[in-house]
Amino acid sequence: FPVTIGFNDIPTAGGTTGRTAGIVSELAVGVTVTNVSFSGLVRGAMNTAGVVGNCQGVVTLSHSSGTIKGRDGNSGGFVGNIDGVGSLISKSYSTATMIDIAGNSGGFVGSVNADGFVTESYYNGSMTGAAIAAGGFVGYVVGANAKVTKSYSAGSVSGNSWVGGSVIVTGK
């Protein structure tokens, strides 16, 4: 059965390795997070995000704001990386300021891999990526079954190489 986790406005999170987030660092298969909010500062390495660092479960009806600073890629204002059968982000948004000095970073999600699915979500903040694959919504999408639908970015995005307003890199 789904597990629901409820948190609201945790001020700061930080880490020196991977999977650092304001709410959940690693969301496992079969776990659902719903109606959570993060507002504050998150600093980390790879898979750094406002709500979930690495997502293999489900996140819905949630949002993030504040500042997210990643340094090794796959970082996003809401989720750093999403992959795996059944992994889903829906009906969520982020207004966070997103900064990452490595690649595969997005305003909302850093990377969508394998069977990751993002739908009915948006980003309206400022995304700055210093390396390749900086996307206003998603930095990197790869895998035959990875999907992003009914989602958009209205925020600003800047970077050095492979910069896109919504989704920047797709591949199989």
Side-chain angles (χ1 to χ4, degrees):
F1 62 92
V3 175
T4 301
I5 303 170
F7 296 93
N8 193 13
D9 297 324
I10 298 167
T12 303
T16 58
T17 60
R19 300 177 180 144
T20 304
I23 303 291
V24 179
S25 61
E26 175 79 27
L27 188 63
V29 174
V31 178
T32 298
V33 171
T34 188
N35 199 27
V36 298
S37 167
F38 176 81
S39 179
L41 172 64
V42 177
R43 279 184 269 209
M46 181 175 264
N47 297 341
T48 300
V51 175
V52 176
N54 190 56
C55 180
Q56 294 183 324
V58 175
V59 182
T60 187
L61 300 170
S62 298
H63 74 277
S64 65
S65 61
T67 302
I68 314 302
K69 294 182 178 182
R71 72 166 189 268
D72 293 334
N74 290 349
S75 297
F78 190 76
V79 166
N81 178 64
I82 178 172
D83 67 15
V85 175
S87 60
L88 170 69
I89 300 169
S90 70
K91 299 178 182 172
S92 297
Y93 69 93
S94 176
T95 58
T97 298
M98 177 62 221
I99 303 162
D100 196 298
I101 60 173
N104 303 345
S105 297
F108 190 71
V109 177
S111 60
V112 179
N113 295 290
D115 294 294
F117 183 36
V118 180
T119 188
E120 298 179 55
S121 298
Y122 72 89
Y123 176 70
N124 191 5
S126 173
M127 164 59 199
T128 302
I132 64 168
F137 189 76
V138 176
Y140 186 72
V141 178
V142 64
N145 296 318
K147 294 179 186 144
V148 177
T149 64
K150 300 179 184 175
S151 299
Y152 67 92
S153 172
S156 65
V157 59
S158 63
N160 292 329
S161 181
W162 300 358
V163 179
S166 287
V167 177
I168 186 59
V169 177
T170 62
K172 294 185 179 186

